[in-house]
Each structure stands twice: as C-alpha cells, then as structure tokens.
Amino acid sequence: MAGFARIENPCKASVSIVGAESLAFDDVSLHETREENGVSRMREVAALPIAPGKAAELKPGGLHLMLHGPYQPLAAGEKPVITLKLADGRALPVVFEVRKSAP
Ligand SMILES: [Cu+2]
C-alpha cells in the first residue's frame, strides 16, 4: 500500500520530514518514484524539506509513503494514523483514509 497526501507548511520556518511510523503498519518509509530509461523505479527519500508557505505533494508516480506489513487487513473507509517525524524532533500524527486503488 502507499500513502498520498498534500502536506502544507504554514510556518515561518522550513520543516523537513525525515521519517514516518504507524501502529497500523510494520514499516513506513518515504519513497520517490522516478522514470529512469523508461523504467519506473522507487528509491527511499532520507529527508523531505518543505519551505515556509510551501507544500509537498505525495501522489502516484511521485513522492509517497510506502506502507509495508499492515498488522490487520484494512478495508476502504478505515482511517489509520501515520505519524510524520520532523527533523526538529516533532511528531505529527496524520489521519489517512483507506481507499481502493485506481484501476
Ligand atoms: Cu514506494
């Protein structure tokens, strides 16, 4: 499964997302999909900085949260919490909604 979101930084200082975790998944990591020679590959992103007043877009084919090992089967409509970890030590819990993947 993958997590998508738009993450806004309304603060005056830049923030950097350096990881994520969830009680609903064994492992959550920040990934980026890139086309290389016509092949789409994913790589782990160590840090996602967001400038003041800007937003990061996590969407199919780009940045996403990679969600491995759900502890329980998740049905559409369920709302797992995924906590984003910021470089300054803060933890930001975000409620996601489970949706069926697009055909
Ligand atoms: Cu991925």
Side-chain angles (χ1 to χ4, degrees):
M1 300 176 82
F4 305 112
R6 179 184 156 84
I7 306 166
E8 295 177 359
N9 176 16
C11 302
K12 288 199 168 73
S14 65
V15 297
S16 187
I17 298 166
V18 294
E21 60 190 11
S22 174
L23 294 175
F25 298 93
D26 181 44
D27 186 67
V28 181
S29 53
L30 196 56
H31 268 193
E32 186 175 34
T33 302
R34 282 196 171 179
E35 283 278 307
E36 277 171 32
N37 304 320
V39 181
S40 99
R41 296 180 186 282
M42 292 194 296
R43 67 179 181 103
E44 190 154 359
V45 176
L48 171 60
I50 308 174
K54 300 287 186 190
E57 206 83 47
L58 276 57
K59 58 184 182 204
L63 287 162
H64 57 277
L65 290 166
M66 203 76 217
L67 310 172
H68 285 293
Y71 289 120
Q72 291 179 7
L74 289 163
E78 284 188 61
K79 296 190 170 163
V81 173
I82 298 171
T83 300
L84 303 176
K85 294 190 275 188
L86 307 184
D88 61 12
R90 283 183 294 165
L92 190 70
V94 181
V95 179
F96 284 73
E97 185 183 332
V98 178
R99 293 182 189 166
K100 287 206 165 101
S101 58

